[in-house]
Amino acid sequence: MATEAAVAVAFNSIDELLYGICEKLQLGRSDYGFAEDCYKGIGAYLDQHPLLAQYRPEVYPQGSVRLGTTVKPRGRQEYDVDLVCELQLDPSRISNPVAVLDLVQASLASSRAYAPLLERKNRCIRLNYTGRFHLDVLPACPDLAAGGTCVLVPDCEARAWKASNPKGYAKWFEGRCRTSEQAILAKAAALPEAEAVGEKAPLKLVVQLFKRARDIRFANKADLAPRSIILTTLCAIHYTGEMSVADAVGNVLRGVLNSIALASPRRLVVPNPMNNKEDFSESWAESARYMAFLDFVREFGRNWELLQLARGIHNVRAILEKLFGEDVTNAAVEEQIRTFNRAREEQSLGLAGAGILTHVLKPQAVSIPKHTYHGR
Amino acid sequence: MAGRIIRHPLTVPEQCRDMRHTHPEFKCLRSHAGMSWTGRISPTPLSEVYTIEIAYRRRRPPQVWVKEPDLRVSKEDYSIVHIYAEGCLCLHEEGEWRPWMTLSSTFIPWAAEWLLYYELWLATGQWYGGGEYRVASRRSA
């Protein structure tokens, strides 16, 4: 028998199951196409609008859709699609920042198509496409003092400008996606969610898994859940180029737990890596939220260690289900079963290594004759 | 020798030679009733490692037993997962195994497949391996 590691037809690694889970989590092709049409439509509409045209609005995606890290919401929630509407205005000459939000809202409200969908939020105008997603339009102005791609966004509650840098963040994140084996090139302003899971940078899958684990863990206490931007940033900081998603998740968990220990007794601070005036984790000033995050990461870490040690597909599946939910775990397992049964039907199965079921193309494999499980 | 089908019934020494060649890590035991081989297999890298025993007596179909770890199947579920009342695996229908076939190219991979379906059954409650469920007319041995 050959001693080299055999590649199994299915259930070859935890990574295969994680790919299957991520496939089920991301925005589907049809929703993605619809979201893209909506975003381009809004961009074209605002660009031509008499109230805004003079400020040369530029509409571009931000957040998970831009980064390729969307996660199917559980229950009845819709996907979030976040857009920035950047207006060429000088914030220092606007006494009331909320007026900019009013201006974008008024522009959208004058459209018969958009008016019934509108909902005013603290920092954005939301368009509710019920049952599919909501599209948040975040008005912004260039932060001339900070320069570069930094922007200021109006905050209604604070009645003030808040610093941000969505373009810079996306560029930073794409840079962090580089693996040890290849440099993944940054995509242009297109929505990268169209990428198939197999083509995605492992970091993007890691982020999807963290967000899904968060959604499962905080299903009944959503108000305490850590924000997606915090999880995304922590994953990107602690990712060190692993090609294996399972290895990457483990290393990110270790990195986050280390940085929590280093920050103690103070809380961890997660600033925007491209604009340190923006503290993504400001809500952790409330200790219940920070404690909930610590519990989440510690339990995730314990379960991840158990997953590495688990043997038996039933045991692996049970841990994945606990972490990421029954629906996506079942779908990933069933995909592997279909792959295996297809090879069996085609009689292309063989045996190699220590009894590993593989494809017969492997030179050391023995092809398996057809047989029927017999019953009594 | 791997996968070779010799068109005459293989003698016990021929099966022994084939097993030594293809599965040298399997432990061979000779008794007055015939031969048995015990070894460890794991159908996928995510699966448990199982110790199986193949018992072979000339002119009788071989039997496969899972020795370790203990199977988590109650007697009521034996027919669903294709286990004979004695506890050995029902891996083939009559005629699918012929005495000229080597054990290494049949019973060992069939057992590996069974172990995969067994784990999937534990995971999902469903038997994905198909098979015939009619009442068998013979006992396993």
Side-chain angles (χ1 to χ4, degrees):
Chain A
M1 301 284 289
T3 51
E4 72 178 81
V7 177
V9 168
F11 300 102
N12 195 50
S13 63
I14 290 171
D15 267 26
E16 281 183 1
L17 290 170
L18 297 178
Y19 279 133
I21 287 172
C22 291
E23 190 79 56
K24 296 293 164 194
L25 287 178
Q26 70 181 14
L27 195 62
R29 292 253 171 202
S30 69
D31 280 336
Y32 159 76
F34 185 57
E36 193 176 40
D37 289 347
C38 291
Y39 129 65
K40 286 182 176 162
I42 288 168
Y45 171 78
L46 292 179
D47 193 43
Q48 303 291 316
H49 199 281
L51 282 176
L52 293 184
Q54 59 183 310
Y55 306 120
R56 289 174 286 131
E58 183 196 359
V59 175
Y60 52 87
Q62 69 151 342
S64 62
V65 173
R66 177 161 191 151
L67 304 178
T69 58
T70 57
V71 169
K72 188 196 277 302
R74 304 187 70 231
R76 290 187 299 113
Q77 292 169 273
E78 284 96 6
Y79 277 95
D80 285 321
V81 176
D82 297 321
L83 301 179
V84 176
C85 175
E86 189 172 336
L87 303 169
Q88 296 306 310
L89 283 164
D90 180 355
S92 65
R93 298 173 67 178
I94 300 167
S95 55
N96 175 18
V98 179
V100 177
L101 203 63
D102 294 338
L103 186 66
V104 173
Q105 183 172 9
S107 308
L108 288 165
S110 66
S111 150
R112 274 194 301 181
Y114 297 135
L117 310 176
L118 296 187
E119 183 188 351
R120 172 76 167 247
K121 306 294 277 186
N122 184 38
R123 290 191 190 178
C124 64
I125 311 298
R126 174 166 291 181
L127 287 89
N128 286 301
Y129 292 89
T130 310
R132 299 192 84 161
F133 47 78
H134 40 242
L135 219 146
D136 288 345
V137 182
L138 181 90
C141 302
D143 184 347
L144 301 173
T149 51
C150 290
V151 293
L152 291 170
V153 299
D155 184 298
C156 284
E157 283 166 18
R159 303 193 70 76
W161 295 106
K162 292 281 179 182
S164 189
N165 188 356
K167 276 185 180 172
Y169 185 87
K171 196 175 172 191
W172 171 79
F173 183 82
E174 287 293 344
R176 295 295 306 156
C177 280
R178 280 193 197 95
T179 64
S180 52
E181 291 187 19
Q182 65 185 113
I184 307 250
L185 296 174
K187 299 275 188 294
L191 301 182
E193 198 52 35
E195 291 171 89
V197 160
E199 299 161 5
K200 270 190 176 180
L203 173 57
K204 296 180 182 183
L205 308 184
V206 171
V207 171
Q208 285 182 300
L209 293 169
F210 266 77
K211 287 165 67 175
R212 177 60 171 205
R214 180 266 323 262
D215 293 346
I216 296 289
R217 168 83 185 186
F218 290 91
N220 299 317
K221 41 187 174 178
D223 52 324
L224 292 178
R227 296 169 61 200
S228 293
I229 189 71
I230 294 179
L231 298 180
T232 306
T233 305
L234 288 174
C235 289
I237 287 172
H238 294 286
Y239 175 70
T240 51
E242 300 86 350
M243 288 303 290
S244 154
V245 178
D247 289 351
V249 169
N251 287 340
V252 167
L253 281 165
R254 273 187 288 279
V256 173
L257 287 166
N258 277 342
S259 59
I260 287 168
L262 285 171
S264 180
R266 308 178 80 143
R267 75 165 173 90
L268 191 63
V269 176
V270 187
N272 182 341
M274 296 306 290
N275 187 345
N276 57 17
K277 281 186 273 177
E278 186 179 18
D279 177 12
F280 290 146
S281 59
E282 61 191 358
S283 66
W284 283 350
E286 193 185 320
S287 73
R289 282 170 174 265
Y290 188 56
M291 294 311 288
F293 168 72
L294 296 189
D295 287 346
F296 161 65
V297 180
R298 286 173 183 150
E299 191 183 309
F300 195 175
R302 277 192 295 274
N303 280 314
W304 206 255
E305 278 176 26
L306 291 177
L307 183 65
Q308 307 314 305
L309 300 172
R311 283 294 164 270
I313 292 163
H314 47 297
N315 293 321
V316 169
R317 182 196 166 280
I319 297 170
L320 291 174
E321 181 187 329
K322 191 176 170 191
L323 282 170
F324 304 118
E326 188 181 5
D327 52 347
V328 291
T329 304
N330 279 350
V333 168
E334 279 165 16
E335 180 61 39
Q336 293 290 301
I337 295 172
R338 278 193 293 277
T339 302
F340 182 80
N341 274 349
R342 209 177 304 126
R344 187 174 173 224
E345 279 160 26
E346 291 164 357
Q347 290 191 271
S348 63
L349 277 182
L351 194 73
I356 301 285
L357 291 159
T358 179
H359 285 291
V360 283
L361 298 175
K362 299 286 286 183
Q364 71 272 35
V366 179
S367 68
I368 303 175
K370 187 177 176 302
H371 68 123
T372 314
Y373 291 108
H374 193 53
R376 299 173 63 87
Chain B
M1 194 84 179
R4 197 172 95 187
I5 294 171
I6 301 163
R7 295 286 165 175
H8 66 79
L10 294 181
T11 62
V12 171
E14 280 173 326
Q15 290 283 10
C16 282
R17 266 202 303 280
D18 173 69
M19 281 298 287
R20 257 202 314 277
H21 177 75
T22 57
H23 293 83
E25 71 284 8
F26 271 57
K27 197 173 147 193
C28 176
L29 272 178
R30 189 185 300 269
S31 72
H32 67 280
M35 303 293 296
S36 76
W37 289 267
T38 305
R40 287 150 60 86
I41 61 172
S42 185
T44 78
L46 297 186
S47 299
E48 292 200 49
V49 177
Y50 296 87
T51 302
I52 61 166
E53 181 186 323
I54 304 171
Y56 181 55
R57 280 167 285 175
R58 190 135 194 254
R59 299 185 200 286
R60 307 286 291 274
Q63 287 179 318
V64 178
W65 306 79
V66 180
K67 308 300 279 185
E68 278 181 5
D70 287 341
L71 293 179
R72 289 161 49 193
V73 187
S74 66
K75 293 240 177 197
E76 298 82 69
D77 289 329
Y78 271 18
S79 62
I80 295 171
V81 302
H82 302 279
I83 298 180
Y84 284 114
E86 307 89 308
C88 61
L89 311 182
C90 320
L91 296 176
H92 65 99
E93 288 204 307
E94 217 165 313
E96 287 179 329
W97 183 78
R98 298 290 190 191
W100 60 73
M101 294 175 165
T102 59
L103 299 177
S104 66
S105 66
T106 52
F107 280 85
I108 291 181
W110 292 348
E113 279 184 25
W114 186 92
L115 289 167
L116 172 59
Y117 289 121
Y118 161 69
E119 288 194 346
L120 294 173
W121 177 75
L122 288 179
T124 66
Q126 278 197 68
W127 180 260
Y128 286 93
E132 291 294 329
Y133 285 95
R134 67 173 177 270
V135 175
S137 59
R138 63 169 180 82
R139 293 186 70 80
S140 62

